[in-house]
Amino acid sequence: MPIFPQAYRPEAKLLELGDGFFDPVAPADFLETRTRFRNDRAAAQIGVDTLTEDEWTRHFGRFEPLPGTLPRPFALRYHGHQFRSYNPDLGDGRGFTFAQMRDDRGRLMDLGTKGSGQTPWSRAGDGRLTLKGGMREILATEMLEALNVPTSRTLSLIETGEELQRGDEPSPTRSAVLVRLNHSHVRIGSFQRLAYHRDEAGLRKLVGYTLRNLYDEDSDDPVRLLDLVVGRTARLAARYMAAGFVHGVLNSDNINVTGESFDYGPWRFAPTWDPAFTAAYFDHQGLYAFGRQPEAIHWDVMQLAVALRQIAESDPLVAALDQFGPRYQPEVTQAILWRLGVRPRDPDTDRDLVQATERALRTSGVGIDRFFFDAFGGELPGTYAEPWAEVRAALGGYEPRKDRSHPYWSGEPCSMLIDEVEAIWAPIDEHDDWSLLNAKVVAIREMGEALAQ
């Protein structure tokens, strides 16, 4: 039995919901468990950083229960709209929640998996994750954390020794199991499922669970929950935009009720400020394109309001939902000012600067990461001519929130475009060489230090 530090504070709050919300499942019995990524920075925040390598693989590859928390893994039940079409046959099909604990901020956190085997919701899938998919999730979560986007974090990636057949990448391909650290796996789709079954008691129970455990509010008011979710998801949408990030699959089962981004499949970072840029090759209509992400997330939150209509009056729900736009606007302003590295002034002036920045980025074709790197601290280099005159003039009245003394600013901007993702994967695939991935994680974290408040 490992010795856990005082920072380890296990919980089992999920059990309060009861059997109707999840299914007990068993993890796959993998051929091997070989740790490929261990996030000790995130592990320290929940008190599991002292685990030995053998303990790490037993808990995060074989899923031996952690002490004091959930007794076994649970596959969560949910429904959801997928590209605006309702699907009642969802649920955790290749993952489960297997532990809960408090982090160093006192928040209730879930440990969930991706690629841990089949469940009752696998729908003919093998329940597995490709090693490349796990590597991509590491890069997405590290990059988003550095760019101040609320995100799950990749705690662990363990290679599992199986050969997987896939239609969207060369097969057979290597397999892995990923553990993510999340501030809840309760999704909008979790509420949709209960509404679909007209389970009012279940809806009330889930509302109370969410407010008490995820928002620290002693309440069971569904309108209050919707109001909180509107605020958190408006912030998420705004920070996606400032980061230049495209999630790719903003279905209602992929939006959790704490407004924390998670579950990274066909994600990409946009090279330029192109509202039509898409991440998923199957998003033929551009439903989840870069510029449509706030609309998509608002639509998903609308589905939460529809579900809550079974236990609340319409008018206050509509009033709460209508606040998404008014909350999004100051959030996106704040997020872009953060990337510019300047202190806010007043709402009107700040909004004018942000709008000028978006126009110049869209018309100039300058790379998003290049621009924010060059402009950090509020001064544009002389190489920025038209159409940057308006931005340059507006920046003149702003104070930097942080100087450029960090070593990061003496190099080049840290980006994560698709060509680099493929370049990082190639030596792993061909030579089992992880040096590029490890170096990229170091570089991303250096950028995060340079940007942080």
Side-chain angles (χ1 to χ4, degrees), residues 13 23-24 59 66 84 93 96 109 136 206 250 270 317 320 325 334 341 358 366 379 390 392 429 439 441:
K13 297 292 187 181
D23 295 278
H59 288 298
L66 288 159
R84 303 282 168 91
F96 49 63
M109 306 297 290
R136 284 173 48 83
L206 189 56
L250 291 174
L317 291 172
Q334 183 181 49
E358 290 178 348
V366 171
E379 290 189 20
E390 186 181 7
R392 187 187 307 279
D429 184 37
V441 170

Side-chain angles (χ1 to χ4, degrees), residues 253-304:
D253 58 298
N254 283 339
I255 305 294
N256 78 6
V257 292
T258 60
E260 187 177 77
S261 179
F262 77 112
D263 202 9
Y264 300 101
W267 62 268
R268 289 196 185 187
F269 283 89
T272 62
W273 199 275
D274 176 6
F277 180 84
T278 58
Y281 69 88
F282 46 82
D283 187 3
H284 303 296
Q285 305 302 318
L287 184 64
Y288 299 145
F290 174 53
R292 296 184 68 184
Q293 290 182 120
E295 169 200 339
I297 293 174
H298 185 205
W299 193 92
D300 288 330
V301 179
M302 188 189 308
Q303 307 319 304
L304 175 61

Side-chain angles (χ1 to χ4, degrees), residues 319-372:
L321 186 65
D322 285 347
Q323 287 301 304
F324 187 93
R327 293 189 183 186
Y328 170 78
Q329 290 302 327
E331 287 285 359
V332 77
T333 298
Q334 183 181 49
I336 291 179
L337 292 179
W338 184 88
R339 279 212 79 177
L340 284 168
V342 296
R343 299 183 184 278
R345 293 176 61 189
D346 64 79
D348 291 340
T349 304
D350 295 342
R351 184 173 59 253
D352 290 345
L353 170 60
V354 167
Q355 290 175 350
T357 299
E358 290 178 348
R359 283 194 297 271
L361 279 168
R362 189 167 57 249
T363 58
S364 70
V366 171
I368 294 173
D369 297 315
R370 175 84 259 172
F371 164 71
F372 282 118

Side-chain angles (χ1 to χ4, degrees), residues 225-239:
L225 174 61
L226 180 63
D227 179 67
L228 291 166
V229 174
V230 164
R232 291 285 186 88
T233 53
R235 180 184 67 177
L236 174 63
R239 294 192 185 180

